[in-house]
Amino acid sequence: MATATAASSTAREQTLGTLAGTGRLLRFQARRTRVYLTGWFVGLVGMSWLVAASFPELYPSPEDRAEFALTVDTPAMRSMTGPGEYLDAYAASTGAMFAHQMILWTGAIAAVMFILLITRLTRSDEETSRLEVIRSLPVGRRSDLAAALMLAAFAAVALGLLMALAVSGMQGVDAEGALLYGLGFTAIGIVFASVTAVAAQLASYGSSANGLAFGTLGFTVLMGAIGSAQESWPLWLSPVGWAQLTYVFTPEQRWWPLAVAAVVGALLVWLAFALVAKRDFGLGMLPGRPGPSIAAPGLNSIGTLTFRLTRGLLWAGVITMLVLGAAYGSVVGSADDMLSGLSDTQRQLIDQGGGSMAENFSATIAKIDAFFATIFGLLVIGRARKEETGGRGELLASAPVPRSGWPGSYLPAALLVSATATVVGGIGLGLAAAGSVGDWSYFGKLLLASVIQIPAVWVMVALAFACFGWLPRAGWLRWLPWVYTFVVGYYGDLLEVPGRARDVSPFEHAGAYPAQDVEWLSIAVLLVVGAAIAALGLAGVRRRNLHFA
């Protein structure tokens, strides 16, 4: 049977070609992802436009920008922004300052968009048997991968043009510079789409493909940070670094680093197409690790099985938050010097209403760490939906478990993963800050500053679980509260968001220790609110039908 199937497939490919049907698949995939892409475009481009519009007020004169350049010209700050060549152009161009502050993190977020897009259209569709249905039609073996990469390329070009438009009105920005700035994001998107295409051929599951791609993203961002801090060659190992190395909006502006991205992207695409023809459908090139013949006694519990299935996200959260916390903490020691030259408007961005500037800065970055720790809890909730639609949840739900026992077990798993990530981030933050300040009391302060954010993190996780319980088909809804709270918390002062709109965010009520005293009553209220929302989510899981594909 296998020989006959292989012969039939070979004969069909000889007749149709391995790329047959690519155009129709491209239109189909574009229709499937139109809401996904629109949401990402609005978020990335809208945020860039809002920040670009606010820069003239924040840094109104060349003297202000030049003074700020001196305060951030340290290895720790360059690792969080970019190469030092931009600093010399701060006074002459607001655009250079904007690009220096924005390319690294906005580029990393754009990379996430393309990683999730390619995994969804390739490995995840193959895992859920959607591609099996598509390949039963007159299409070639490589057509689905080709359509996914073409869609990613079109999306990357569109993102680049929109980002160029978002910055075109800034002082010191001409049409050529704006286009180069936008194409930097196009290059990042194409490279990481190609990286994910290769990861989808190596891994057997969508989560594994995402893990390989996100691991690559983390490594390249780390190399970029090291290269910028030391002003050395590791920056060339980062696709985000290639966009930074264009030195856009500076006198040294250049286009050729984008050629590196084009060459690497082309090589990765060639590798992905070569691998897809050599592996079996439904399997990856990397061999799966065989499990034990007898399950551990603890796996008789649905909850224990869920925690085991999500341990990869737990480790990803631990490693990411430890590195992120240490990176932020290393800057605390120079916070007073760095912030002493800021204007009153600039100080408002980190002023938490009390304490020294170092304590205000510490409270701000503890909250930022909590924002990122929340992501891992939301990913666990997304894993529950994936297990449901992938059919594996059907086997568990058929066992003698409570009506909400299997899907409900993902709530405590998400709470544990997000809380652990928050605590580990606080440990990394506290250790690095204590070392940079030379005062070990900062370790306890910043660890507590992170821990008190956990109730707010849990409210966000509970909201995601409520969306899973009541609106399971609209999985993207769980990200809207996170995006809102991040924008309000990180850019609220910059965008002059009204107080009532900011109070919607649970992070606004978690306190700003060590700049302020801990507000235990607010923390208790957050715990009660989180428990009520979680109960609402459990009620939704009990009432709705489970959707098994």
Side-chain angles (χ1 to χ4, degrees):
M1 178 64 72
T3 303
T5 302
S8 174
S9 176
T10 302
R12 184 176 65 177
E13 287 184 359
Q14 290 175 348
T15 304
L16 298 173
T18 60
L19 296 178
T22 300
R24 292 185 178 182
L25 276 177
L26 175 60
R27 292 192 294 271
F28 172 65
Q29 292 179 353
R31 181 176 178 82
R32 281 183 59 198
T33 58
R34 64 188 186 280
V35 175
Y36 173 90
L37 292 175
T38 301
W40 276 100
F41 285 170
V42 170
L44 287 169
V45 179
M47 180 53 57
S48 295
W49 179 78
L50 288 172
V51 175
S54 65
F55 256 59
E57 180 182 351
L58 257 181
Y59 308 98
S61 68
E63 292 76 16
D64 291 331
R65 296 192 294 272
E67 188 174 2
F68 184 72
L70 293 175
T71 63
V72 299
D73 191 11
T74 64
M77 287 304 299
R78 287 198 303 272
S79 69
M80 299 170 62
T81 53
E85 282 77 3
Y86 287 89
L87 296 170
D88 297 333
Y90 269 32
S93 172
T94 305
M97 186 177 187
F98 174 83
H100 193 220
Q101 300 287 326
M102 293 292 290
I103 289 178
L104 174 60
W105 296 111
T106 309
I109 295 173
V112 172
M113 164 190 167
F114 286 94
I115 288 173
L116 296 177
L117 175 67
I118 295 297
T119 302
R120 176 183 179 182
L121 297 178
T122 55
R123 174 52 63 185
S124 294
D125 275 358
E126 191 169 337
E127 183 181 349
T128 57
S129 299
R130 292 188 183 94
L131 276 183
E132 186 174 7
V133 176
I134 292 174
R135 288 198 180 183
S136 67
L137 302 172
V139 298
R141 173 179 289 191
R142 295 184 174 96
S143 58
D144 52 285
L145 178 61
L149 287 172
M150 289 176 64
L151 178 61
F154 290 144
V157 172
L159 176 63
L161 294 176
L162 291 172
M163 293 293 268
L165 289 174
V167 302
S168 59
M170 292 187 66
Q171 178 267 331
V173 172
D174 56 12
E176 180 183 358
L179 182 60
L180 177 58
Y181 176 80
L183 290 182
F185 292 97
T186 298
I188 293 170
I190 290 175
V191 170
F192 279 100
S194 305
V195 167
T196 312
V198 174
Q201 312 313 314
L202 297 176
S204 297
Y205 300 98
S207 57
S208 301
N210 277 334
L212 290 173
F214 282 125
T216 303
L217 173 60
F219 173 78
T220 57
V221 168
L222 180 61
M223 290 297 100
I226 293 173
S228 295
Q230 300 178 351
E231 298 184 325
S232 58
W233 60 268
L235 185 59
W236 286 99
L237 300 178
S238 172
V240 179
W242 301 335
Q244 293 175 311
L245 286 166
T246 59
Y247 301 145
V248 60
F249 306 137
T250 73
E252 291 81 19
Q253 178 173 292
R254 54 193 185 180
W255 289 78
W256 64 264
L258 298 185
V260 179
V263 172
V264 171
L267 291 174
L268 290 171
V269 169
W270 173 84
L271 179 59
F273 277 111
L275 292 176
V276 75
K278 293 183 179 296
R279 66 175 179 85
D280 291 332
F281 183 83
L283 298 177
M285 297 295 293
L286 297 178
R289 186 181 64 179
S293 57
I294 301 176
L299 292 182
N300 291 328
S301 164
I302 287 292
T304 307
L305 177 61
T306 299
F307 280 106
R308 185 178 181 87
L309 291 174
T310 57
R311 63 183 178 179
L313 288 172
L314 175 63
W315 280 111
V318 166
I319 295 171
T320 301
M321 295 308 301
L322 186 62
V323 173
L324 187 64
Y328 277 130
S330 63
V331 187
V332 173
S334 58
D336 283 331
D337 295 334
M338 181 182 70
L339 302 173
S340 60
L342 299 183
S343 66
D344 292 339
T345 302
Q346 296 159 6
R347 284 170 174 266
Q348 289 177 2
L349 298 180
I350 61 168
D351 189 2
Q352 301 293 335
S356 65
M357 291 306 297
E359 290 176 335
N360 280 284
F361 185 69
S362 299
T364 300
I365 58 180
K367 185 178 295 185
I368 293 173
D369 270 5
F371 287 138
F372 287 105
T374 305
I375 293 176
F376 296 97
L378 302 186
L379 289 174
V380 172
I381 301 299
R383 178 65 182 265
R385 177 62 179 168
K386 184 176 180 180
E387 293 292 317
E388 180 181 355
T389 57
R392 291 181 291 273
E394 185 175 10
L395 300 175
L396 299 176
S398 64
V401 297
R403 175 70 177 79
S404 59
W406 162 69
S409 64
Y410 278 88
L411 175 60
L415 297 177
L416 175 66
V417 168
S418 58
T420 303
T422 305
V423 172
V424 171
I427 292 173
L429 180 62
L431 288 174
S436 65
V437 175
D439 181 0
W440 284 99
S441 67
Y442 264 79
F443 173 75
K445 289 181 179 179
L446 292 187
L447 179 58
L448 179 57
S450 297
V451 170
I452 63 174
Q453 302 295 324
I454 291 177
V457 172
W458 281 353
V459 169
M460 300 300 295
V461 172
L463 278 171
F465 185 74
C467 290
F468 169 67
W470 290 95
L471 299 168
R473 297 183 186 276
W476 53 273
L477 282 176
R478 71 181 185 275
W479 294 102
L480 290 184
W482 183 87
V483 171
Y484 179 82
T485 56
F486 181 79
V487 171
V488 167
Y490 197 71
Y491 296 104
D493 291 309
L494 190 64
L495 303 177
E496 298 181 352
V497 177
R500 290 184 178 180
R502 300 181 65 168
D503 288 341
V504 175
S505 170
F507 293 99
E508 294 296 316
H509 304 282
Y513 185 82
Q516 300 175 356
D517 293 334
V518 179
E519 300 178 4
W520 296 108
L521 178 60
S522 296
I523 292 174
V525 171
L526 285 174
L527 289 172
V528 173
V529 171
I533 297 174
L536 179 65
L538 287 171
V541 169
R542 292 190 186 99
R543 291 177 63 87
R544 74 172 174 86
N545 293 326
L546 298 178
H547 306 132
F548 298 124

